Amino acid sequence: MLPNTGKLAGCTLFITGASRGIGKAIALKAAKDGANIVIAAKTTSAHPKLPGTIYTAAEERIDILVNNASAISLTNTLETPTKRVDLMMSVNTRGTYLTSKACIPFLKKSKIAHILNLSPPLNLNPLWFKQHCAYTIAKYGMSMCVLGMAEEFRGEIAVNALWPRTAIHTAAMDMLGGSGIESQCRKVDIIADAAYSIFRKPKNFTGNFVIDENILKEEGIKNFDVYAIKPGHPLLPDFFLDDLPDEVTKKMESHGAIPAFKEGKQDTKPKQRSGPVEETFRIVKESLSDDVVKATQAVYQFELSGDDGGTWFLDLKHKGGSVGFGEPAERADVVMSMSTEDFVKMFSGKLKPTMAFMLGKLKIKGNMALAIKLERLMNQMNAKL
């Protein structure tokens, strides 16, 4: 962990989205130095440990702005409702731009003067657009604010971006990844330490897209297990970093994990209904019950490519539940497309759906909340498959 130096004592930080997770961790780290913290979140009441509300922000001298507030929907173009698109654009891009604009006159008067956006390096690899185009555009809008404002206010205000090398355990990650995802994540402390390192740098440190692990290595941090939720466990890579798949694959294989990223030719023709997929569905069928159906209330359709592929369904909406080859009797709530090999790995616990989805191995159409519910059932199947 990066020790506090007291350098931020007396400084005022304005942090958006600081009621929990990464924003709160950054606030608490700075507060240990004796910094004044102003948080802007959905709530208008004061945080018990962090003085100030959005209404008192205008009364404070602002030295550091952290644009952390963000909205996320990992859905493709046709599956992203217009209201969700508007929310992501409004919170991520518009919110970052306008909050920065409002704070800049105060920041210009500060000797420290930092703007830090929690946003990724700009990366035009289509991989990061094809599964969640709207979200990527909204996050890259935050990054483009860094690109433009760093140059516009060079010498007056340091403007940088910070992004994690691996997944960070937050409420959002729990929602996206489901039960058990935390073992593949790092604590929010690593982002707080990285942000603190940036705040201590002079104004001429500007226009940088900083990766948390990289800047902490420069600070002399060598043991990153202290940041892991489960030390030694393979970590889930975060979005937008092209260098990760090969590196993480090697690291995961060294821990005995299944490499989810390796490409191979896939036969898209459905073949005979026997083998691992049929066996997986047989075990799933044996595990069905009225309680499982009542807790899930969804119909799933699987479009599988490769050996033993084709269209399969899992009905967890009607009494007793059912599985079978072909399309379900009624329209599926969730349609998942993947290879048969990855399907078997997912249900046997050797491949996390979140990782498969992030890297394009798994495509999901329909209700994402119901898709996440299915992972809980998969966890129950692991011991039998």
Side-chain angles (χ1 to χ4, degrees), residues 15-16 22 29 55 73 100 108 163-164 187 202 216 223 230-231 237 268 282 302 334 342 359 374 377:
I15 307 176
T16 67
I22 288 172
K29 178 73 175 180
Y55 297 122
S73 181
S100 299
K108 281 188 170 186
W163 196 246
K187 303 171 186 175
L216 291 177
N223 178 19
K230 187 176 180 180
T268 56
R282 183 188 66 76
F302 302 91
V334 181
D342 287 339
L359 292 160
L374 183 61
L377 178 63

mmCIF file of all heavy atoms in Angstrom, residues 15-16 22 29 55 73 100 108 163-164 187 202 216 223 230-231 237 268 282 302 334 342 359 374 377:
data_model
loop_
_atom_site.group_PDB
_atom_site.id
_atom_site.type_symbol
_atom_site.label_atom_id
_atom_site.label_comp_id
_atom_site.label_asym_id
_atom_site.label_seq_id
_atom_site.Cartn_x
_atom_site.Cartn_y
_atom_site.Cartn_z
ATOM 1 N N ILE A 15 -15.361 15.382 -5.617
ATOM 2 C CA ILE A 15 -15.394 14.044 -6.211
ATOM 3 C C ILE A 15 -16.827 13.677 -6.577
ATOM 4 O O ILE A 15 -17.713 13.693 -5.721
ATOM 5 C CB ILE A 15 -14.826 12.987 -5.246
ATOM 6 C CG1 ILE A 15 -13.438 13.392 -4.754
ATOM 7 C CG2 ILE A 15 -14.769 11.624 -5.927
ATOM 8 C CD1 ILE A 15 -12.848 12.451 -3.724
ATOM 9 N N THR A 16 -17.049 13.352 -7.830
ATOM 10 C CA THR A 16 -18.381 12.913 -8.253
ATOM 11 C C THR A 16 -18.509 11.404 -8.071
ATOM 12 O O THR A 16 -17.543 10.666 -8.236
ATOM 13 C CB THR A 16 -18.657 13.272 -9.721
ATOM 14 O OG1 THR A 16 -17.789 12.522 -10.580
ATOM 15 C CG2 THR A 16 -18.444 14.761 -9.970
ATOM 16 N N ILE A 22 -15.085 3.215 -5.794
ATOM 17 C CA ILE A 22 -13.825 3.873 -6.126
ATOM 18 C C ILE A 22 -13.813 5.326 -5.648
ATOM 19 O O ILE A 22 -12.838 5.786 -5.048
ATOM 20 C CB ILE A 22 -13.569 3.802 -7.642
ATOM 21 C CG1 ILE A 22 -13.207 2.357 -8.040
ATOM 22 C CG2 ILE A 22 -12.453 4.760 -8.059
ATOM 23 C CD1 ILE A 22 -13.126 2.130 -9.535
ATOM 24 N N LYS A 29 -8.797 8.146 1.195
ATOM 25 C CA LYS A 29 -7.334 8.209 1.118
ATOM 26 C C LYS A 29 -6.861 9.655 1.274
ATOM 27 O O LYS A 29 -5.924 9.942 2.032
ATOM 28 C CB LYS A 29 -6.871 7.642 -0.236
ATOM 29 C CG LYS A 29 -5.359 7.686 -0.465
ATOM 30 C CD LYS A 29 -4.632 6.657 0.370
ATOM 31 C CE LYS A 29 -3.144 6.647 0.042
ATOM 32 N NZ LYS A 29 -2.392 5.647 0.851
ATOM 33 N N TYR A 55 -24.348 20.832 -2.225
ATOM 34 C CA TYR A 55 -24.748 22.219 -2.041
ATOM 35 C C TYR A 55 -23.636 23.081 -1.450
ATOM 36 O O TYR A 55 -23.621 24.300 -1.619
ATOM 37 C CB TYR A 55 -25.987 22.290 -1.147
ATOM 38 C CG TYR A 55 -27.174 21.600 -1.761
ATOM 39 C CD1 TYR A 55 -27.816 20.562 -1.102
ATOM 40 C CD2 TYR A 55 -27.644 21.971 -3.025
ATOM 41 C CE1 TYR A 55 -28.903 19.909 -1.677
ATOM 42 C CE2 TYR A 55 -28.720 21.338 -3.604
ATOM 43 C CZ TYR A 55 -29.357 20.303 -2.931
ATOM 44 O OH TYR A 55 -30.415 19.672 -3.505
ATOM 45 N N SER A 73 -23.868 0.182 -19.275
ATOM 46 C CA SER A 73 -24.779 -0.827 -19.806
ATOM 47 C C SER A 73 -24.026 -1.583 -20.892
ATOM 48 O O SER A 73 -23.751 -1.034 -21.962
ATOM 49 C CB SER A 73 -26.047 -0.197 -20.391
ATOM 50 O OG SER A 73 -26.927 -1.196 -20.876
ATOM 51 N N SER A 100 -16.221 19.727 -15.013
ATOM 52 C CA SER A 100 -14.893 20.314 -15.213
ATOM 53 C C SER A 100 -15.009 21.804 -15.515
ATOM 54 O O SER A 100 -14.288 22.631 -14.949
ATOM 55 C CB SER A 100 -14.166 19.608 -16.361
ATOM 56 O OG SER A 100 -13.981 18.236 -16.079
ATOM 57 N N LYS A 108 -8.000 27.130 -11.337
ATOM 58 C CA LYS A 108 -6.966 28.048 -11.836
ATOM 59 C C LYS A 108 -6.293 28.833 -10.710
ATOM 60 O O LYS A 108 -5.165 29.300 -10.858
ATOM 61 C CB LYS A 108 -7.575 29.021 -12.851
ATOM 62 C CG LYS A 108 -7.767 28.437 -14.240
ATOM 63 C CD LYS A 108 -8.196 29.534 -15.212
ATOM 64 C CE LYS A 108 -8.152 29.035 -16.650
ATOM 65 N NZ LYS A 108 -8.426 30.132 -17.597
ATOM 66 N N TRP A 163 -7.079 4.480 -15.050
ATOM 67 C CA TRP A 163 -7.845 3.279 -15.404
ATOM 68 C C TRP A 163 -7.176 2.048 -14.794
ATOM 69 O O TRP A 163 -5.950 1.980 -14.709
ATOM 70 C CB TRP A 163 -7.917 3.133 -16.924
ATOM 71 C CG TRP A 163 -8.968 2.179 -17.404
ATOM 72 C CD1 TRP A 163 -8.779 0.990 -18.038
ATOM 73 C CD2 TRP A 163 -10.391 2.353 -17.310
ATOM 74 N NE1 TRP A 163 -9.982 0.415 -18.356
ATOM 75 C CE2 TRP A 163 -10.990 1.221 -17.906
ATOM 76 C CE3 TRP A 163 -11.206 3.341 -16.765
ATOM 77 C CZ2 TRP A 163 -12.374 1.065 -17.966
ATOM 78 C CZ3 TRP A 163 -12.581 3.183 -16.829
ATOM 79 C CH2 TRP A 163 -13.152 2.060 -17.429
ATOM 80 N N PRO A 164 -7.947 1.068 -14.349
ATOM 81 C CA PRO A 164 -7.360 -0.128 -13.735
ATOM 82 C C PRO A 164 -6.888 -1.156 -14.759
ATOM 83 O O PRO A 164 -7.486 -1.303 -15.827
ATOM 84 C CB PRO A 164 -8.528 -0.694 -12.914
ATOM 85 C CG PRO A 164 -9.746 -0.258 -13.657
ATOM 86 C CD PRO A 164 -9.417 1.085 -14.243
ATOM 87 N N LYS A 187 -9.018 -4.825 -4.872
ATOM 88 C CA LYS A 187 -9.744 -3.897 -4.014
ATOM 89 C C LYS A 187 -9.684 -2.482 -4.594
ATOM 90 O O LYS A 187 -8.781 -2.139 -5.353
ATOM 91 C CB LYS A 187 -9.119 -3.882 -2.618
ATOM 92 C CG LYS A 187 -9.062 -5.237 -1.931
ATOM 93 C CD LYS A 187 -8.233 -5.157 -0.643
ATOM 94 C CE LYS A 187 -8.034 -6.518 -0.019
ATOM 95 N NZ LYS A 187 -7.130 -6.472 1.151
ATOM 96 N N PRO A 202 3.441 17.365 -9.983
ATOM 97 C CA PRO A 202 3.283 18.777 -10.349
ATOM 98 C C PRO A 202 2.321 18.969 -11.520
ATOM 99 O O PRO A 202 1.930 18.012 -12.187
ATOM 100 C CB PRO A 202 4.713 19.188 -10.731
ATOM 101 C CG PRO A 202 5.359 17.913 -11.180
ATOM 102 C CD PRO A 202 4.773 16.835 -10.309
ATOM 103 N N LEU A 216 1.985 2.732 -9.778
ATOM 104 C CA LEU A 216 2.376 2.244 -8.454
ATOM 105 C C LEU A 216 3.715 1.505 -8.503
ATOM 106 O O LEU A 216 4.475 1.526 -7.536
ATOM 107 C CB LEU A 216 1.283 1.360 -7.869
ATOM 108 C CG LEU A 216 0.001 2.121 -7.483
ATOM 109 C CD1 LEU A 216 -1.064 1.171 -6.978
ATOM 110 C CD2 LEU A 216 0.297 3.185 -6.423
ATOM 111 N N ASN A 223 4.627 -5.632 -4.267
ATOM 112 C CA ASN A 223 3.680 -6.675 -3.861
ATOM 113 C C ASN A 223 2.247 -6.240 -4.140
ATOM 114 O O ASN A 223 1.651 -5.483 -3.364
ATOM 115 C CB ASN A 223 3.859 -6.989 -2.372
ATOM 116 C CG ASN A 223 2.871 -8.043 -1.889
ATOM 117 O OD1 ASN A 223 2.302 -8.787 -2.693
ATOM 118 N ND2 ASN A 223 2.647 -8.113 -0.594
ATOM 119 N N LYS A 230 -8.575 -11.951 -3.403
ATOM 120 C CA LYS A 230 -8.117 -13.306 -3.102
ATOM 121 C C LYS A 230 -6.701 -13.454 -3.651
ATOM 122 O O LYS A 230 -6.517 -13.807 -4.810
ATOM 123 C CB LYS A 230 -9.053 -14.348 -3.720
ATOM 124 C CG LYS A 230 -8.746 -15.784 -3.309
ATOM 125 C CD LYS A 230 -9.779 -16.749 -3.889
ATOM 126 C CE LYS A 230 -9.472 -18.185 -3.473
ATOM 127 N NZ LYS A 230 -10.482 -19.131 -4.048
ATOM 128 N N PRO A 231 -5.675 -13.167 -2.836
ATOM 129 C CA PRO A 231 -4.289 -13.210 -3.308
ATOM 130 C C PRO A 231 -3.936 -14.517 -3.998
ATOM 131 O O PRO A 231 -4.288 -15.596 -3.529
ATOM 132 C CB PRO A 231 -3.480 -13.028 -2.017
ATOM 133 C CG PRO A 231 -4.389 -12.253 -1.120
ATOM 134 C CD PRO A 231 -5.766 -12.782 -1.415
ATOM 135 N N PRO A 237 -9.219 -9.271 -16.456
ATOM 136 C CA PRO A 237 -8.715 -8.036 -17.072
ATOM 137 C C PRO A 237 -9.833 -7.022 -17.235
ATOM 138 O O PRO A 237 -10.997 -7.381 -17.393
ATOM 139 C CB PRO A 237 -8.207 -8.517 -18.438
ATOM 140 C CG PRO A 237 -9.025 -9.734 -18.738
ATOM 141 C CD PRO A 237 -9.263 -10.398 -17.413
ATOM 142 N N THR A 268 -19.658 -23.952 -37.655
ATOM 143 C CA THR A 268 -20.961 -23.404 -37.308
ATOM 144 C C THR A 268 -22.111 -24.351 -37.634
ATOM 145 O O THR A 268 -23.264 -24.059 -37.354
ATOM 146 C CB THR A 268 -21.203 -22.080 -38.056
ATOM 147 O OG1 THR A 268 -21.069 -22.313 -39.462
ATOM 148 C CG2 THR A 268 -20.192 -21.028 -37.623
ATOM 149 N N ARG A 282 -28.405 -32.602 -19.572
ATOM 150 C CA ARG A 282 -28.999 -33.698 -18.794
ATOM 151 C C ARG A 282 -28.815 -33.440 -17.296
ATOM 152 O O ARG A 282 -29.760 -33.591 -16.500
ATOM 153 C CB ARG A 282 -28.362 -35.039 -19.166
ATOM 154 C CG ARG A 282 -28.985 -36.240 -18.454
ATOM 155 C CD ARG A 282 -28.188 -37.504 -18.704
ATOM 156 N NE ARG A 282 -26.862 -37.451 -18.101
ATOM 157 C CZ ARG A 282 -26.639 -37.616 -16.795
ATOM 158 N NH1 ARG A 282 -27.654 -37.826 -15.959
ATOM 159 N NH2 ARG A 282 -25.404 -37.569 -16.322
ATOM 160 N N PHE A 302 -29.857 -20.847 -26.289
ATOM 161 C CA PHE A 302 -28.418 -20.937 -26.534
ATOM 162 C C PHE A 302 -28.166 -21.253 -28.002
ATOM 163 O O PHE A 302 -28.664 -22.264 -28.514
ATOM 164 C CB PHE A 302 -27.791 -22.020 -25.655
ATOM 165 C CG PHE A 302 -28.008 -21.805 -24.183
ATOM 166 C CD1 PHE A 302 -29.119 -22.350 -23.548
ATOM 167 C CD2 PHE A 302 -27.120 -21.052 -23.425
ATOM 168 C CE1 PHE A 302 -29.338 -22.153 -22.189
ATOM 169 C CE2 PHE A 302 -27.336 -20.846 -22.072
ATOM 170 C CZ PHE A 302 -28.447 -21.398 -21.453
ATOM 171 N N VAL A 334 -33.559 -14.251 -22.818
ATOM 172 C CA VAL A 334 -32.127 -14.049 -23.039
ATOM 173 C C VAL A 334 -31.641 -15.036 -24.100
ATOM 174 O O VAL A 334 -31.966 -16.223 -24.031
ATOM 175 C CB VAL A 334 -31.312 -14.279 -21.746
ATOM 176 C CG1 VAL A 334 -29.826 -14.047 -21.992
ATOM 177 C CG2 VAL A 334 -31.807 -13.392 -20.616
ATOM 178 N N ASP A 342 -17.025 -23.479 -24.986
ATOM 179 C CA ASP A 342 -17.148 -22.458 -23.943
ATOM 180 C C ASP A 342 -18.418 -22.660 -23.119
ATOM 181 O O ASP A 342 -18.438 -22.367 -21.920
ATOM 182 C CB ASP A 342 -17.144 -21.061 -24.567
ATOM 183 C CG ASP A 342 -15.763 -20.660 -25.070
ATOM 184 O OD1 ASP A 342 -14.777 -21.254 -24.588
ATOM 185 O OD2 ASP A 342 -15.670 -19.776 -25.941
ATOM 186 N N LEU A 359 -14.555 -10.305 -23.547
ATOM 187 C CA LEU A 359 -13.600 -10.530 -24.636
ATOM 188 C C LEU A 359 -14.266 -11.037 -25.901
ATOM 189 O O LEU A 359 -13.610 -11.510 -26.821
ATOM 190 C CB LEU A 359 -12.516 -11.493 -24.163
ATOM 191 C CG LEU A 359 -11.633 -10.858 -23.087
ATOM 192 C CD1 LEU A 359 -10.919 -11.912 -22.289
ATOM 193 C CD2 LEU A 359 -10.651 -9.898 -23.714
ATOM 194 N N LEU A 374 -28.533 -16.425 -14.350
ATOM 195 C CA LEU A 374 -28.166 -17.761 -14.807
ATOM 196 C C LEU A 374 -26.831 -18.196 -14.224
ATOM 197 O O LEU A 374 -26.608 -19.392 -13.994
ATOM 198 C CB LEU A 374 -28.108 -17.793 -16.340
ATOM 199 C CG LEU A 374 -27.804 -19.154 -16.978
ATOM 200 C CD1 LEU A 374 -28.882 -20.170 -16.607
ATOM 201 C CD2 LEU A 374 -27.680 -19.033 -18.482
ATOM 202 N N LEU A 377 -27.134 -20.240 -11.151
ATOM 203 C CA LEU A 377 -27.476 -21.634 -11.406
ATOM 204 C C LEU A 377 -26.237 -22.410 -11.842
ATOM 205 O O LEU A 377 -26.033 -23.561 -11.434
ATOM 206 C CB LEU A 377 -28.551 -21.727 -12.490
ATOM 207 C CG LEU A 377 -28.977 -23.136 -12.901
ATOM 208 C CD1 LEU A 377 -29.605 -23.870 -11.724
ATOM 209 C CD2 LEU A 377 -29.936 -23.103 -14.075
#
